[in-house]
Amino acid sequence: MMLILAAMLLWAFGWWLNLRLAEGPYAHTRAIQVTVPLIFGLTILIVWELLVRGLQVPLVILPPPTMIAGRFASSTDILWADFVQTFVKGALSGYIIGCCAAFVMAIAVDRSHFLRMGLLPVGNFVAALPIVGTAPILVMWFGFDWQSKAAVVVVMVFFPMLVNTVAGLRETTAMQRDLMETYAASYWQSFFKLRLPAAMPFIFNGLKISTTLALIGAIVAEFFGSPTLGMGFRISTSVGQLALDMVWAEIVVAALAGTLFYGAVAMIEKAVTFWHPSQRG
C-alpha cells in the first residue's frame, strides 16, 4: 500500500513540476524543452516500478523497469546482433532502396501524364495492402534472411515516398514555371533550380514517415520466417518462453533505433530546408 501511495504522490509532484516549468517564463528555452520530457519520462519509469511491485503484478504480464534494465545490460551482445540483423541489414537497406527508387519514379511520373494517371491509383491500392498479407509472400520469394525483410520495407516505404515527392514537385505555381521558361531554362535546369528545392519539405516528410514504416516492416516480417536472430524473431520466441523482460528489452532497442533514425532525418531536413517557414525561429 505504501508503494502505491508513493507512486500517486510522485506522479502528482512530477505533474505539478512539469506544469510549472512548461508554463514558466523560461518555457521556450532549450534547457526547459529538454528538461520537461526527461522529468516526465523518469516519473513514468519510477511510477511504473512502484505500481508493479506494490500491486504485485506477475512478471509474465508486466516486468518492472529495473528487471528490464538488468536483462538489457546482461544481453547486450544478443541485442546488438538483433539490431544489426533487423535495422542495419533489413530496415536501413530497404529504406535506402525504396526511397531512392521512389524518388526516381516520382521524376518519371512528374514528366508523364500517363504514369501520373495510371501509377498513383495503383500505388494507393498497394499501399493499403496489409503487411501481414504481403510479408509471408515476400519471405517465400526472397528467402528467410534479411533480403526478404528489405523487400518488405521497400514495398512499405516506396509509395508514401512516391506520393510525397510527386506532390512536392508539383508545388511550384504556374507563374514560377512560366518565369523559368522565359529564361529559356531546360527541364533539368528548372528541376534543380526551382522544383527540387520547393519539393524538399515534401520529400523530407516522406523520408520521416518512412523511417517508422521501415522499422515496423522489418520487425513484422521476421515473424513470418527469419534466421535465429533479429528483433522480430527474438520477440516471438521470448513471448513463447514467457521471457517478457527480453521482449521489453527488444522494444527498448527498437524505440531507441527508431527515435534516433527519425531524429537524424529531421536534423538533415533542418540543415537542407533552413529557408522554409517551418524551420524558422
Side-chain angles (χ1 to χ4, degrees), residues 142-226:
F142 294 96
F144 293 97
D145 208 348
W146 64 268
Q147 292 87 349
S148 58
K149 286 65 183 177
V152 172
V153 172
V154 169
V155 172
M156 290 193 68
V157 307
F158 181 84
F159 289 104
M161 183 66 186
L162 174 66
V163 171
N164 277 277
T165 305
V166 170
L169 292 176
R170 299 183 64 81
E171 176 66 9
T172 55
T173 64
M175 183 178 295
Q176 291 172 325
R177 294 191 293 270
D178 291 342
L179 179 62
M180 294 298 292
E181 291 181 3
T182 62
Y183 293 152
S186 66
Y187 173 82
W188 292 111
Q189 288 175 326
S190 177
F191 177 83
F192 286 110
K193 297 292 185 179
L194 173 65
R195 306 185 72 188
L196 184 60
M200 278 300 173
F202 290 83
I203 293 173
F204 276 102
N205 186 51
L207 290 173
K208 290 189 293 185
I209 293 173
S210 298
T211 57
T212 55
L213 293 177
L215 190 56
I216 292 171
I219 292 175
V220 172
E222 289 181 344
F223 281 84
F224 299 97
S226 66

Side-chain angles (χ1 to χ4, degrees), residues 247-264:
V247 173
W248 278 97
E250 291 285 356
I251 292 174
V252 170
V253 173
L256 290 174
T259 302
L260 293 175
F261 191 19
Y262 183 94

Side-chain angles (χ1 to χ4, degrees), residues 260-279:
L260 293 175
F261 191 19
Y262 183 94
V265 175
M267 288 180 63
I268 297 172
E269 177 190 20
K270 189 171 184 178
V272 173
T273 63
F274 60 90
W275 48 268
H276 196 262
S278 63
Q279 303 297 335

